[in-house]
Amino acid sequence: MVGWAIAVHGGAGVDPNLPTERQEQAKQLLTRCLNLGISALRSSASAIDVVELVVRELETDPIFNSGRGSALTEKGTVEMEASIMDGVGRRCGAVSGLSTVKNPVSLARLVMDKSPHSYLAFSGAEDFAKQMGVEREENDYFVTEDNVGMLKVAKEANSIVFDYRIPTTGYESCGAGVESPIRMNGLPISVYAPETVGCVVVDSQGRCAAATSTGGLMNKRIGRIGDSPLIGAGTYACDMCGVSCTGEGEAIIRGTLAREVAAVMEYKGLALQEAVDFVIKERLDEGQAGLIAVSKTGEVAYGFNCVGMFRGCATEDGFMEVGIWE
């Protein structure tokens, strides 16, 4: 028996001028999700069940960029993606290109549990959702007023925008108004503040699990797939740890960031926080990202190399923290 631990995130890379009211809304949601997970863990729920439960809650609330409130494509639609992984046997499921599924993380769970595959996308994933009878919504359900306004800003700037939460008024005072040194696959972007969501859990049996969900980039090209549904990049769990990443997806993919945490623990003998720090420093090149992680021994850790990360974590011994900045 080990002590359970849980961590959640709502994205790394936060506009330093984000209004205080929105900061508080984000922290309240993270706290609610943590408490939801804690209650389930105290009731002996398994790690895989808890990560799905928590990410479903995050997807249902429009505060962050997943499920309802997802960022919009260049055509004003949503293309959501998610993945889930059970450290027991390294079982996994992932989905991309969803436009009607209310909770993408649960469809990813069904891919893992009810199909012979690990990853389904676009029309194939939608057909599978119909077959499984999951709850579905019209595309309008996922589109919020904030998203529509941010897409307009992105189109006017002729850019891909990471953050659908930058206010559409007073735009020039936000991080979006500052020329960004960040480049994505060699091309400059104007805003860096992604808000993917994720959860990692180790239960009292030492079983680790991870799940990640996102709407992707605002004004992204139709068909773009990021790191969140990619096992080993945005999500990974094994018998040693569980990891969920957030940030510049292309950099996370190149660095196979989530898997790297497990690899340096296994091959370099690093403790969890040491592994997280090493990966953030050595595996992102010029990319910016963050991640949360738990270990089979009940440790919890996080790290990021950008301005802030929405996160919360708790352990069975009573420790609990919710924060945004360093």
Side-chain angles (χ1 to χ4, degrees):
M1 297 286 288
V2 301
W4 54 255
I6 180 173
V8 297
H9 73 72
V14 183
D15 177 12
N17 296 309
L18 190 68
T20 301
E21 180 182 357
R22 289 191 175 182
Q23 293 183 38
E24 290 305 311
Q25 289 172 345
K27 288 194 286 188
Q28 288 171 11
L29 175 57
L30 292 169
T31 301
R32 188 173 84 232
C33 289
L34 268 183
N35 285 328
L36 182 67
I38 289 169
S39 178
L41 286 164
R42 286 174 174 166
S43 299
S44 301
S46 67
I48 193 68
D49 287 343
V50 177
V51 295
E52 180 187 5
L53 175 72
V54 170
V55 173
R56 280 179 61 93
E57 185 74 10
L58 289 162
E59 289 173 337
T60 303
D61 194 299
I63 286 289
F64 294 129
N65 173 14
S66 67
R68 184 164 184 264
S70 284
L72 304 179
T73 69
E74 59 189 353
K75 294 186 178 180
T77 59
V78 297
E79 288 186 351
M80 301 170 289
E81 47 195 22
S83 62
I84 191 168
M85 190 164 188
D86 189 349
V88 179
R90 284 184 289 217
R91 299 168 60 248
C92 61
V95 289
S96 284
L98 299 179
S99 58
T100 69
V101 176
K102 185 175 182 179
N103 291 110
V105 71
S106 290
L107 189 63
R109 175 78 183 269
L110 287 169
V111 171
M112 179 178 76
D113 288 344
K114 302 294 184 180
S115 88
H117 308 301
S118 295
Y119 196 164
L120 295 176
F122 296 92
S123 61
E126 290 284 352
D127 288 345
F128 181 67
K130 294 176 187 176
Q131 293 170 10
M132 291 293 103
V134 301
E135 191 170 2
R136 301 165 68 231
E137 300 283 353
E138 294 297 323
N139 205 257
D140 288 349
Y141 164 84
F142 303 99
V143 179
T144 65
E145 184 178 343
D146 278 351
N147 291 1
V148 173
M150 198 59 217
L151 180 62
K152 181 175 182 290
V153 170
K155 286 187 174 297
E156 289 173 351
N158 192 28
S159 65
I160 295 170
V161 177
F162 277 74
D163 181 23
Y164 80 117
R165 278 310 187 188
I166 301 293
T168 54
T169 57
Y171 175 71
E172 67 283 349
S173 69
C174 296
V178 180
E179 184 175 351
S180 173
I182 301 167
R183 303 176 75 84
M184 187 170 66
N185 277 353
L187 300 175
I189 60 159
S190 66
V191 179
Y192 183 75
E195 292 184 344
T196 295
V197 305
C199 180
V200 293
V201 168
V202 58
D203 60 28
S204 59
Q205 303 298 314
R207 299 172 296 195
C208 298
T212 311
S213 180
T214 190
L217 309 179
M218 183 63 72
N219 199 29
K220 66 183 179 181
R221 182 180 291 273
I222 293 290
R224 183 263 184 183
I225 294 173
D227 67 286
S228 296
L230 300 185
I231 299 301
T235 304
Y236 191 72
C238 60
D239 59 356
M240 296 186 68
C241 63
V243 184
S244 175
C245 300
T246 172
E248 185 187 337
E250 278 65 16
I252 294 170
I253 292 168
R254 292 193 302 270
T256 57
L257 211 64
R259 166 60 185 156
E260 279 293 289
V261 174
V264 296
M265 290 180 71
E266 182 175 358
Y267 301 128
K268 292 177 70 73
L270 300 185
L272 184 67
Q273 188 66 61
E274 293 175 329
V276 169
D277 293 342
F278 177 87
V279 167
I280 291 292
K281 181 179 179 181
E282 302 293 339
R283 294 293 184 264
L284 279 169
D285 301 317
E286 296 181 358
Q288 296 198 17
L291 62 85
I292 54 174
V294 292
S295 74
K296 65 179 181 181
T297 57
E299 301 168 290
V300 64
Y302 62 84
F304 52 93
N305 67 350
C306 44
V307 181
M309 179 170 74
F310 295 106
R311 82 273 179 184
C313 51
T315 58
E316 189 171 3
D317 62 11
F319 170 77
M320 184 171 178
E321 172 186 294
V322 174
I324 302 175
W325 315 110
E326 287 280 6

